[in-house]
Amino acid sequence: MPRGQPPPPPSATVLQALPLGEAPTRQRTPTPPPSVPIIVPAKAPDWLHTSVADLTKVDLGCHYASILAAFIRLEGAARYEDDGSRLPASGRPKVISNWVRGGRGTKSKTQPAVESISTFVAEWDGWWDAMQPEWRERNHQGRWRVDPPYRKEWEWGILDTYGTNGILSVVAGIYFWGVAVLSGSEDEITRWDNAVQDVVWVLEGLESTFKK
């Protein structure tokens, strides 16, 4: 891919075409505009409109836009239900907890920031890995596999959680991490890109359960 052009959004099709362990070249300055329109349906609840608005204050390019698009589709497929269930708060990265306590963009005008990328990555790995279903496998590089097709019999466990305390927290974590690595090293950006690919694969897998 020519240097200076934004990478394609990591849809399931694109992910299967990407060699595992490699991330597309990321343009830092200026950040490429999202190639996936971020449109929240008018019928969506206020919390979704507010959260998406808060998690798009910094443009992170088309890869992050793909996460938002997949997340919005997923919440719509779940009919915007919020039954009070939640992803585990134990082990959750501090910046996500701070954002939740700040009303998810409704109470505080100042967004929380990742203080240490290395600390955040360690927290993220522990939190994210603990939520993965037992059937998920890793590749030879130790990363979660994103190449197999989705199977109807797969159960997603705790990840199958929607509303204000569900997958939204995962999207928020990716956003604050992405903001931090805009000024980080190439290795830090690559690590973030890998996580983006993984999260998009999970979101699209969750959405597929509503199409059975």
Side-chain angles (χ1 to χ4, degrees):
M1 177 180 296
R3 188 175 292 275
Q5 293 184 6
S11 66
T13 302
V14 172
L15 286 176
Q16 292 174 13
L18 286 173
L20 293 178
E22 296 182 12
T25 301
R26 181 180 175 83
Q27 185 179 7
R28 287 203 206 174
T29 307
T31 303
S35 62
V36 181
I38 305 304
I39 301 174
V40 180
K43 64 180 179 180
D46 289 344
W47 68 262
L48 187 59
H49 285 275
T50 300
S51 297
V52 169
D54 197 53
L55 299 177
T56 53
K57 289 183 176 179
V58 176
D59 184 0
L60 298 180
C62 62
H63 276 196
Y64 176 66
S66 292
I67 279 188
L68 284 175
F71 168 66
I72 293 168
R73 291 196 310 269
L74 176 60
E75 292 291 341
R79 299 183 179 182
Y80 310 111
E81 293 181 358
D82 193 342
D83 61 2
S85 58
R86 61 185 61 210
L87 295 185
S90 177
R92 184 173 61 190
K94 179 181 177 181
V95 67
I96 301 176
S97 297
N98 289 343
W99 184 68
V100 171
R101 283 195 293 269
R104 303 174 184 82
T106 62
K107 297 179 182 179
S108 175
K109 295 182 179 180
T110 303
Q111 288 188 326
V114 172
E115 298 175 358
S116 165
I117 294 177
S118 60
T119 298
F120 176 90
V121 170
E123 293 174 344
W124 173 272
D125 284 347
W127 186 59
W128 179 250
D129 291 356
M131 292 190 291
Q132 300 310 301
E134 293 182 359
W135 50 259
R136 283 207 79 182
E137 299 177 349
R138 296 181 185 269
N139 62 18
H140 66 282
Q141 296 171 319
R143 290 172 52 194
W144 292 111
R145 294 180 65 88
V146 297
D147 52 326
Y150 304 116
R151 299 177 183 175
K152 292 183 179 180
E153 67 271 19
W154 281 353
E155 297 291 338
W156 292 86
I158 189 62
L159 290 171
D160 194 16
T161 304
Y162 310 102
T164 55
N165 293 302
I167 290 297
L168 173 62
S169 294
V170 172
V171 177
I174 288 291
Y175 171 76
F176 293 119
W177 185 0
V179 172
V181 301
L182 282 176
S183 58
S185 67
E186 290 299 326
D187 286 344
E188 289 171 337
I189 293 174
T190 296
R191 178 65 182 82
W192 179 76
D193 269 328
N194 290 340
V196 168
Q197 292 180 19
D198 194 22
V199 171
V200 169
W201 191 82
V202 168
L203 294 180
E204 292 183 346
L206 288 166
E207 184 185 7
S208 72
T209 66
F210 293 94
K211 301 176 182 179
K212 293 181 179 179

